[in-house]
Amino acid sequence: MSETYIEAIEAGLVKARHEAPARGHLGWSEIGAEDERKLWLNFRWCMPPIEDPRTLRIFDNGNVVEDMLAHWTRQAGIRLETRDENGNQFGFSRFGGHLSGHMDGAALGLPEDPTTWMVWEAKSANDTRFRELKKEKDKEGQGRPVSWDELQAMGLKRWAPEYAAQLQGYMGESGMRRAVIIVYEKNRSELHAEFVDFSSMEYQALVSKAERIITAPEPPKSIYNAATDWRCKLRMNEVERAIYWTEQLPPTANCRNCRFSEPRLDLEGAQWQCRKHRTLIGPMDRQQAGCDRHQFIPELMPALPGVIDDNQAAYKTAAGHEFINGPGHYSSQELIELAKDDFNMLGDTFFQQARQELGATVQTVTKAPLQEMERIDTAAKNMAKKTEDGKKFHDPWPDDDI
């Protein structure tokens, strides 16, 4: 049980996030991001779930702001539709549902263009981000539609490329040729609106980008020259960076990051198929669970690939340790743990004997500090020493250490 009221709230946020189903598609709301490698890793369920309570609160607050802006829009006498005839959000999908998104709404009667239906998107920003957007807009003047070329020149695409792409995507999917994005500043409760025209060229480029990511069998190259790039550190936490740079394996072994799975673009419902089992995989909970024949996509493994066939995949680490991911060898779940210590346990004689003679499996691996590693090594050596009578072992663990 949490010790404080705040801790209880934060624990509840994290618990709800864990219980929520994983996103099963590449979203129109994210396709504008520059880094295709990270988009692919998210699409393939390689990245860990968001567990930072502050970030989760920001997400929830965004939903509250959206409802508030919708209320104010209608209160101004503007027609705003946020649901279809069945009471659902306006949704659009392509490639069998693997590219999908839900538009905030469609508006008619805005003073700037009262006879035109527009894609309506509501966002929020802190003071610093809001001032950056206002500064760009003030350079161009207020109250007129913005072409895509102007949009790029003004810096809105640089300010929030995901938002800019989202507007183009929903215009292209809905048939509307104009969009408005209203931004709420959370510190001073200010408002700002941008009007954007449709660009067929940009829309088609985004569709091609999405197809490229969805169908890629391995992660695309990074946009960063090195792991020390400040943008990489800003956009990802330590765990995410380790997976991104293939220093660690994904935290779970699921069907999306298995080398035998692939998306089906010719079927609706964002479905995947397994080449190993020669069948469709099924709903998302089944995809998340994976199976005992899971093998990681080779490009995700922090080791050099060797012989890879239909049954197993061989690898060799930089330290020279060899292992196989496959039946009768190391399971993917074991390798997730072993990778946490750079596969050093593979060179441990005691571990190998326990595995071969007792059928031991890897459950959890913790990378011990150097001092603790030295202490364990000394203890192991003492354990092997017999006393002078050759019968008793020296006890390496004094009572006060237990």
Side-chain angles (χ1 to χ4, degrees), residues 37 40-41 217-220 243-250 259 296-303 305 308 315:
R37 183 180 181 87
W40 186 93
L41 290 168
E218 60 190 56
I243 297 169
Y244 182 91
W245 292 106
T246 326
E247 297 169 355
Q248 293 292 320
L249 282 167
R259 70 185 182 99
F296 276 110
I297 295 170
E299 287 74 17
L300 296 175
M301 189 66 68
I308 298 177
Y315 298 92

PDB file of all heavy atoms in Angstrom, residues 37 40-41 217-220 243-250 259 296-303 305 308 315:
ATOM      1  N   ARG A  37      13.150   4.946 -36.946  1.00  0.00           N
ATOM      2  CA  ARG A  37      13.592   3.799 -36.150  1.00  0.00           C
ATOM      3  C   ARG A  37      12.768   3.682 -34.875  1.00  0.00           C
ATOM      4  O   ARG A  37      12.287   2.587 -34.522  1.00  0.00           O
ATOM      5  CB  ARG A  37      15.077   3.928 -35.806  1.00  0.00           C
ATOM      6  CG  ARG A  37      15.642   2.732 -35.028  1.00  0.00           C
ATOM      7  CD  ARG A  37      17.119   2.922 -34.723  1.00  0.00           C
ATOM      8  NE  ARG A  37      17.687   1.781 -34.006  1.00  0.00           N
ATOM      9  CZ  ARG A  37      18.182   0.702 -34.584  1.00  0.00           C
ATOM     10  NH1 ARG A  37      18.175   0.598 -35.906  1.00  0.00           N
ATOM     11  NH2 ARG A  37      18.681  -0.288 -33.873  1.00  0.00           N
ATOM     12  N   TRP A  40       9.258   2.544 -35.644  1.00  0.00           N
ATOM     13  CA  TRP A  40       9.224   1.099 -35.907  1.00  0.00           C
ATOM     14  C   TRP A  40       9.299   0.314 -34.600  1.00  0.00           C
ATOM     15  O   TRP A  40       8.572  -0.664 -34.413  1.00  0.00           O
ATOM     16  CB  TRP A  40      10.382   0.723 -36.819  1.00  0.00           C
ATOM     17  CG  TRP A  40      10.397  -0.702 -37.280  1.00  0.00           C
ATOM     18  CD1 TRP A  40       9.849  -1.202 -38.429  1.00  0.00           C
ATOM     19  CD2 TRP A  40      10.985  -1.825 -36.594  1.00  0.00           C
ATOM     20  NE1 TRP A  40      10.067  -2.567 -38.503  1.00  0.00           N
ATOM     21  CE2 TRP A  40      10.761  -2.968 -37.389  1.00  0.00           C
ATOM     22  CE3 TRP A  40      11.662  -1.968 -35.396  1.00  0.00           C
ATOM     23  CZ2 TRP A  40      11.197  -4.232 -37.026  1.00  0.00           C
ATOM     24  CZ3 TRP A  40      12.106  -3.228 -35.019  1.00  0.00           C
ATOM     25  CH2 TRP A  40      11.885  -4.345 -35.827  1.00  0.00           C
ATOM     26  N   LEU A  41      10.180   0.714 -33.694  1.00  0.00           N
ATOM     27  CA  LEU A  41      10.324   0.016 -32.426  1.00  0.00           C
ATOM     28  C   LEU A  41       9.040   0.087 -31.601  1.00  0.00           C
ATOM     29  O   LEU A  41       8.664  -0.895 -30.941  1.00  0.00           O
ATOM     30  CB  LEU A  41      11.495   0.598 -31.630  1.00  0.00           C
ATOM     31  CG  LEU A  41      12.889   0.297 -32.186  1.00  0.00           C
ATOM     32  CD1 LEU A  41      13.940   1.157 -31.493  1.00  0.00           C
ATOM     33  CD2 LEU A  41      13.227  -1.184 -32.048  1.00  0.00           C
ATOM     34  N   PRO A 217      10.935  -5.319 -42.218  1.00  0.00           N
ATOM     35  CA  PRO A 217      11.162  -6.510 -41.380  1.00  0.00           C
ATOM     36  C   PRO A 217      12.191  -6.277 -40.279  1.00  0.00           C
ATOM     37  O   PRO A 217      12.338  -7.105 -39.377  1.00  0.00           O
ATOM     38  CB  PRO A 217      11.666  -7.547 -42.386  1.00  0.00           C
ATOM     39  CG  PRO A 217      12.345  -6.727 -43.442  1.00  0.00           C
ATOM     40  CD  PRO A 217      11.558  -5.455 -43.552  1.00  0.00           C
ATOM     41  N   GLU A 218      12.916  -5.179 -40.362  1.00  0.00           N
ATOM     42  CA  GLU A 218      13.939  -4.863 -39.362  1.00  0.00           C
ATOM     43  C   GLU A 218      13.920  -3.367 -39.081  1.00  0.00           C
ATOM     44  O   GLU A 218      13.390  -2.579 -39.877  1.00  0.00           O
ATOM     45  CB  GLU A 218      15.317  -5.300 -39.856  1.00  0.00           C
ATOM     46  CG  GLU A 218      15.734  -4.613 -41.142  1.00  0.00           C
ATOM     47  CD  GLU A 218      16.983  -5.203 -41.762  1.00  0.00           C
ATOM     48  OE1 GLU A 218      16.992  -6.420 -42.016  1.00  0.00           O
ATOM     49  OE2 GLU A 218      17.939  -4.427 -41.979  1.00  0.00           O
ATOM     50  N   PRO A 219      14.493  -2.932 -37.970  1.00  0.00           N
ATOM     51  CA  PRO A 219      14.442  -1.511 -37.628  1.00  0.00           C
ATOM     52  C   PRO A 219      15.216  -0.649 -38.613  1.00  0.00           C
ATOM     53  O   PRO A 219      16.335  -1.010 -39.012  1.00  0.00           O
ATOM     54  CB  PRO A 219      15.067  -1.459 -36.227  1.00  0.00           C
ATOM     55  CG  PRO A 219      15.855  -2.720 -36.097  1.00  0.00           C
ATOM     56  CD  PRO A 219      15.139  -3.741 -36.912  1.00  0.00           C
ATOM     57  N   PRO A 220      14.648   0.488 -39.016  1.00  0.00           N
ATOM     58  CA  PRO A 220      15.365   1.415 -39.902  1.00  0.00           C
ATOM     59  C   PRO A 220      16.600   1.988 -39.213  1.00  0.00           C
ATOM     60  O   PRO A 220      16.764   1.888 -37.996  1.00  0.00           O
ATOM     61  CB  PRO A 220      14.329   2.514 -40.177  1.00  0.00           C
ATOM     62  CG  PRO A 220      13.002   1.900 -39.845  1.00  0.00           C
ATOM     63  CD  PRO A 220      13.286   0.937 -38.733  1.00  0.00           C
ATOM     64  N   ILE A 243      17.614   0.048 -25.660  1.00  0.00           N
ATOM     65  CA  ILE A 243      16.927  -0.781 -26.662  1.00  0.00           C
ATOM     66  C   ILE A 243      17.137  -0.200 -28.054  1.00  0.00           C
ATOM     67  O   ILE A 243      17.408  -0.928 -29.014  1.00  0.00           O
ATOM     68  CB  ILE A 243      15.425  -0.881 -26.339  1.00  0.00           C
ATOM     69  CG1 ILE A 243      15.219  -1.573 -24.988  1.00  0.00           C
ATOM     70  CG2 ILE A 243      14.676  -1.620 -27.447  1.00  0.00           C
ATOM     71  CD1 ILE A 243      13.807  -1.484 -24.462  1.00  0.00           C
ATOM     72  N   TYR A 244      17.033   1.104 -28.157  1.00  0.00           N
ATOM     73  CA  TYR A 244      17.168   1.804 -29.435  1.00  0.00           C
ATOM     74  C   TYR A 244      18.522   1.519 -30.082  1.00  0.00           C
ATOM     75  O   TYR A 244      18.607   1.278 -31.290  1.00  0.00           O
ATOM     76  CB  TYR A 244      16.992   3.305 -29.191  1.00  0.00           C
ATOM     77  CG  TYR A 244      17.054   4.170 -30.424  1.00  0.00           C
ATOM     78  CD1 TYR A 244      15.897   4.487 -31.131  1.00  0.00           C
ATOM     79  CD2 TYR A 244      18.267   4.695 -30.875  1.00  0.00           C
ATOM     80  CE1 TYR A 244      15.948   5.291 -32.254  1.00  0.00           C
ATOM     81  CE2 TYR A 244      18.330   5.502 -31.995  1.00  0.00           C
ATOM     82  CZ  TYR A 244      17.161   5.800 -32.681  1.00  0.00           C
ATOM     83  OH  TYR A 244      17.216   6.601 -33.797  1.00  0.00           O
ATOM     84  N   TRP A 245      19.569   1.526 -29.263  1.00  0.00           N
ATOM     85  CA  TRP A 245      20.922   1.311 -29.783  1.00  0.00           C
ATOM     86  C   TRP A 245      21.358  -0.156 -29.695  1.00  0.00           C
ATOM     87  O   TRP A 245      22.540  -0.486 -29.822  1.00  0.00           O
ATOM     88  CB  TRP A 245      21.917   2.192 -29.025  1.00  0.00           C
ATOM     89  CG  TRP A 245      21.728   3.649 -29.305  1.00  0.00           C
ATOM     90  CD1 TRP A 245      21.194   4.579 -28.476  1.00  0.00           C
ATOM     91  CD2 TRP A 245      22.055   4.340 -30.514  1.00  0.00           C
ATOM     92  NE1 TRP A 245      21.162   5.812 -29.079  1.00  0.00           N
ATOM     93  CE2 TRP A 245      21.684   5.700 -30.339  1.00  0.00           C
ATOM     94  CE3 TRP A 245      22.631   3.956 -31.724  1.00  0.00           C
ATOM     95  CZ2 TRP A 245      21.875   6.665 -31.334  1.00  0.00           C
ATOM     96  CZ3 TRP A 245      22.811   4.919 -32.722  1.00  0.00           C
ATOM     97  CH2 TRP A 245      22.446   6.244 -32.510  1.00  0.00           C
ATOM     98  N   THR A 246      20.423  -1.058 -29.484  1.00  0.00           N
ATOM     99  CA  THR A 246      20.670  -2.505 -29.445  1.00  0.00           C
ATOM    100  C   THR A 246      21.702  -2.871 -28.384  1.00  0.00           C
ATOM    101  O   THR A 246      22.564  -3.732 -28.592  1.00  0.00           O
ATOM    102  CB  THR A 246      21.110  -3.036 -30.823  1.00  0.00           C
ATOM    103  OG1 THR A 246      20.454  -2.320 -31.848  1.00  0.00           O
ATOM    104  CG2 THR A 246      20.751  -4.500 -30.989  1.00  0.00           C
ATOM    105  N   GLU A 247      21.591  -2.199 -27.235  1.00  0.00           N
ATOM    106  CA  GLU A 247      22.424  -2.569 -26.096  1.00  0.00           C
ATOM    107  C   GLU A 247      21.668  -3.491 -25.144  1.00  0.00           C
ATOM    108  O   GLU A 247      22.282  -4.215 -24.355  1.00  0.00           O
ATOM    109  CB  GLU A 247      22.864  -1.301 -25.348  1.00  0.00           C
ATOM    110  CG  GLU A 247      23.740  -0.382 -26.194  1.00  0.00           C
ATOM    111  CD  GLU A 247      23.938   0.970 -25.539  1.00  0.00           C
ATOM    112  OE1 GLU A 247      23.312   1.218 -24.477  1.00  0.00           O
ATOM    113  OE2 GLU A 247      24.712   1.777 -26.078  1.00  0.00           O
ATOM    114  N   GLN A 248      20.357  -3.457 -25.213  1.00  0.00           N
ATOM    115  CA  GLN A 248      19.494  -4.325 -24.430  1.00  0.00           C
ATOM    116  C   GLN A 248      18.374  -4.847 -25.327  1.00  0.00           C
ATOM    117  O   GLN A 248      18.052  -4.237 -26.353  1.00  0.00           O
ATOM    118  CB  GLN A 248      18.880  -3.571 -23.247  1.00  0.00           C
ATOM    119  CG  GLN A 248      19.875  -3.151 -22.193  1.00  0.00           C
ATOM    120  CD  GLN A 248      20.471  -4.335 -21.447  1.00  0.00           C
ATOM    121  OE1 GLN A 248      19.775  -5.286 -21.131  1.00  0.00           O
ATOM    122  NE2 GLN A 248      21.760  -4.279 -21.173  1.00  0.00           N
ATOM    123  N   LEU A 249      17.778  -5.951 -24.924  1.00  0.00           N
ATOM    124  CA  LEU A 249      16.627  -6.487 -25.644  1.00  0.00           C
ATOM    125  C   LEU A 249      15.351  -5.790 -25.166  1.00  0.00           C
ATOM    126  O   LEU A 249      15.325  -5.204 -24.085  1.00  0.00           O
ATOM    127  CB  LEU A 249      16.514  -7.986 -25.410  1.00  0.00           C
ATOM    128  CG  LEU A 249      17.472  -8.868 -26.216  1.00  0.00           C
ATOM    129  CD1 LEU A 249      17.482 -10.284 -25.669  1.00  0.00           C
ATOM    130  CD2 LEU A 249      17.110  -8.859 -27.698  1.00  0.00           C
ATOM    131  N   PRO A 250      14.277  -5.847 -25.951  1.00  0.00           N
ATOM    132  CA  PRO A 250      12.991  -5.327 -25.478  1.00  0.00           C
ATOM    133  C   PRO A 250      12.591  -5.996 -24.163  1.00  0.00           C
ATOM    134  O   PRO A 250      12.999  -7.133 -23.886  1.00  0.00           O
ATOM    135  CB  PRO A 250      12.030  -5.699 -26.616  1.00  0.00           C
ATOM    136  CG  PRO A 250      12.897  -5.764 -27.832  1.00  0.00           C
ATOM    137  CD  PRO A 250      14.206  -6.319 -27.343  1.00  0.00           C
ATOM    138  N   ARG A 259      10.709 -12.895 -34.979  1.00  0.00           N
ATOM    139  CA  ARG A 259      11.128 -12.935 -36.386  1.00  0.00           C
ATOM    140  C   ARG A 259      10.182 -13.730 -37.281  1.00  0.00           C
ATOM    141  O   ARG A 259      10.299 -13.670 -38.507  1.00  0.00           O
ATOM    142  CB  ARG A 259      12.553 -13.481 -36.493  1.00  0.00           C
ATOM    143  CG  ARG A 259      12.746 -14.964 -36.184  1.00  0.00           C
ATOM    144  CD  ARG A 259      14.226 -15.294 -36.207  1.00  0.00           C
ATOM    145  NE  ARG A 259      14.517 -16.710 -35.965  1.00  0.00           N
ATOM    146  CZ  ARG A 259      14.764 -17.596 -36.929  1.00  0.00           C
ATOM    147  NH1 ARG A 259      14.745 -17.228 -38.190  1.00  0.00           N
ATOM    148  NH2 ARG A 259      15.037 -18.860 -36.610  1.00  0.00           N
ATOM    149  N   PHE A 296      13.633 -13.632 -31.202  1.00  0.00           N
ATOM    150  CA  PHE A 296      13.736 -12.211 -31.500  1.00  0.00           C
ATOM    151  C   PHE A 296      14.157 -11.941 -32.940  1.00  0.00           C
ATOM    152  O   PHE A 296      14.911 -12.719 -33.537  1.00  0.00           O
ATOM    153  CB  PHE A 296      14.726 -11.527 -30.556  1.00  0.00           C
ATOM    154  CG  PHE A 296      14.124 -11.120 -29.239  1.00  0.00           C
ATOM    155  CD1 PHE A 296      14.489 -11.781 -28.078  1.00  0.00           C
ATOM    156  CD2 PHE A 296      13.189 -10.101 -29.166  1.00  0.00           C
ATOM    157  CE1 PHE A 296      13.932 -11.415 -26.861  1.00  0.00           C
ATOM    158  CE2 PHE A 296      12.627  -9.731 -27.955  1.00  0.00           C
ATOM    159  CZ  PHE A 296      12.996 -10.387 -26.793  1.00  0.00           C
ATOM    160  N   ILE A 297      13.664 -10.839 -33.491  1.00  0.00           N
ATOM    161  CA  ILE A 297      14.171 -10.345 -34.771  1.00  0.00           C
ATOM    162  C   ILE A 297      15.677 -10.148 -34.609  1.00  0.00           C
ATOM    163  O   ILE A 297      16.120  -9.471 -33.671  1.00  0.00           O
ATOM    164  CB  ILE A 297      13.473  -9.023 -35.138  1.00  0.00           C
ATOM    165  CG1 ILE A 297      11.975  -9.269 -35.387  1.00  0.00           C
ATOM    166  CG2 ILE A 297      14.121  -8.379 -36.364  1.00  0.00           C
ATOM    167  CD1 ILE A 297      11.150  -8.009 -35.519  1.00  0.00           C
ATOM    168  N   PRO A 298      16.499 -10.747 -35.449  1.00  0.00           N
ATOM    169  CA  PRO A 298      17.957 -10.738 -35.245  1.00  0.00           C
ATOM    170  C   PRO A 298      18.556  -9.353 -35.037  1.00  0.00           C
ATOM    171  O   PRO A 298      19.500  -9.188 -34.255  1.00  0.00           O
ATOM    172  CB  PRO A 298      18.493 -11.388 -36.527  1.00  0.00           C
ATOM    173  CG  PRO A 298      17.396 -12.311 -36.951  1.00  0.00           C
ATOM    174  CD  PRO A 298      16.117 -11.584 -36.613  1.00  0.00           C
ATOM    175  N   GLU A 299      18.006  -8.346 -35.714  1.00  0.00           N
ATOM    176  CA  GLU A 299      18.566  -6.997 -35.602  1.00  0.00           C
ATOM    177  C   GLU A 299      18.313  -6.363 -34.234  1.00  0.00           C
ATOM    178  O   GLU A 299      18.867  -5.302 -33.921  1.00  0.00           O
ATOM    179  CB  GLU A 299      17.990  -6.100 -36.702  1.00  0.00           C
ATOM    180  CG  GLU A 299      18.507  -6.383 -38.090  1.00  0.00           C
ATOM    181  CD  GLU A 299      17.946  -7.659 -38.701  1.00  0.00           C
ATOM    182  OE1 GLU A 299      16.921  -8.165 -38.194  1.00  0.00           O
ATOM    183  OE2 GLU A 299      18.516  -8.159 -39.694  1.00  0.00           O
ATOM    184  N   LEU A 300      17.492  -7.003 -33.400  1.00  0.00           N
ATOM    185  CA  LEU A 300      17.252  -6.511 -32.048  1.00  0.00           C
ATOM    186  C   LEU A 300      18.229  -7.103 -31.036  1.00  0.00           C
ATOM    187  O   LEU A 300      18.329  -6.611 -29.908  1.00  0.00           O
ATOM    188  CB  LEU A 300      15.823  -6.857 -31.602  1.00  0.00           C
ATOM    189  CG  LEU A 300      14.671  -6.222 -32.392  1.00  0.00           C
ATOM    190  CD1 LEU A 300      13.342  -6.772 -31.899  1.00  0.00           C
ATOM    191  CD2 LEU A 300      14.701  -4.705 -32.274  1.00  0.00           C
ATOM    192  N   MET A 301      18.955  -8.141 -31.426  1.00  0.00           N
ATOM    193  CA  MET A 301      19.824  -8.866 -30.503  1.00  0.00           C
ATOM    194  C   MET A 301      21.157  -8.140 -30.317  1.00  0.00           C
ATOM    195  O   MET A 301      21.829  -7.824 -31.303  1.00  0.00           O
ATOM    196  CB  MET A 301      20.073 -10.285 -31.016  1.00  0.00           C
ATOM    197  CG  MET A 301      20.779 -11.196 -30.036  1.00  0.00           C
ATOM    198  SD  MET A 301      19.801 -11.570 -28.566  1.00  0.00           S
ATOM    199  CE  MET A 301      18.476 -12.570 -29.299  1.00  0.00           C
ATOM    200  N   PRO A 302      21.570  -7.885 -29.066  1.00  0.00           N
ATOM    201  CA  PRO A 302      22.859  -7.226 -28.812  1.00  0.00           C
ATOM    202  C   PRO A 302      24.024  -8.190 -28.988  1.00  0.00           C
ATOM    203  O   PRO A 302      24.831  -8.398 -28.083  1.00  0.00           O
ATOM    204  CB  PRO A 302      22.736  -6.756 -27.349  1.00  0.00           C
ATOM    205  CG  PRO A 302      21.313  -6.936 -26.964  1.00  0.00           C
ATOM    206  CD  PRO A 302      20.801  -8.048 -27.825  1.00  0.00           C
ATOM    207  N   ALA A 303      24.106  -8.800 -30.136  1.00  0.00           N
ATOM    208  CA  ALA A 303      25.167  -9.766 -30.447  1.00  0.00           C
ATOM    209  C   ALA A 303      25.223  -9.940 -31.958  1.00  0.00           C
ATOM    210  O   ALA A 303      24.283  -9.581 -32.675  1.00  0.00           O
ATOM    211  CB  ALA A 303      24.892 -11.102 -29.758  1.00  0.00           C
ATOM    212  N   PRO A 305      24.970 -11.941 -35.365  1.00  0.00           N
ATOM    213  CA  PRO A 305      24.258 -13.139 -35.809  1.00  0.00           C
ATOM    214  C   PRO A 305      25.187 -14.129 -36.487  1.00  0.00           C
ATOM    215  O   PRO A 305      26.166 -13.756 -37.143  1.00  0.00           O
ATOM    216  CB  PRO A 305      23.226 -12.576 -36.798  1.00  0.00           C
ATOM    217  CG  PRO A 305      23.853 -11.322 -37.317  1.00  0.00           C
ATOM    218  CD  PRO A 305      24.647 -10.754 -36.174  1.00  0.00           C
ATOM    219  N   ILE A 308      21.382 -18.766 -39.047  1.00  0.00           N
ATOM    220  CA  ILE A 308      19.964 -18.602 -38.719  1.00  0.00           C
ATOM    221  C   ILE A 308      19.148 -19.420 -39.713  1.00  0.00           C
ATOM    222  O   ILE A 308      19.247 -19.220 -40.923  1.00  0.00           O
ATOM    223  CB  ILE A 308      19.541 -17.116 -38.778  1.00  0.00           C
ATOM    224  CG1 ILE A 308      20.326 -16.303 -37.748  1.00  0.00           C
ATOM    225  CG2 ILE A 308      18.045 -16.969 -38.547  1.00  0.00           C
ATOM    226  CD1 ILE A 308      20.041 -14.813 -37.783  1.00  0.00           C
ATOM    227  N   TYR A 315      24.103 -16.774 -32.216  1.00  0.00           N
ATOM    228  CA  TYR A 315      24.716 -15.459 -32.037  1.00  0.00           C
ATOM    229  C   TYR A 315      26.041 -15.595 -31.304  1.00  0.00           C
ATOM    230  O   TYR A 315      26.322 -16.603 -30.643  1.00  0.00           O
ATOM    231  CB  TYR A 315      23.790 -14.545 -31.224  1.00  0.00           C
ATOM    232  CG  TYR A 315      22.456 -14.275 -31.876  1.00  0.00           C
ATOM    233  CD1 TYR A 315      21.354 -15.088 -31.606  1.00  0.00           C
ATOM    234  CD2 TYR A 315      22.299 -13.220 -32.768  1.00  0.00           C
ATOM    235  CE1 TYR A 315      20.126 -14.842 -32.209  1.00  0.00           C
ATOM    236  CE2 TYR A 315      21.084 -12.970 -33.371  1.00  0.00           C
ATOM    237  CZ  TYR A 315      20.001 -13.784 -33.093  1.00  0.00           C
ATOM    238  OH  TYR A 315      18.798 -13.536 -33.685  1.00  0.00           O
TER     239      TYR A 315
END
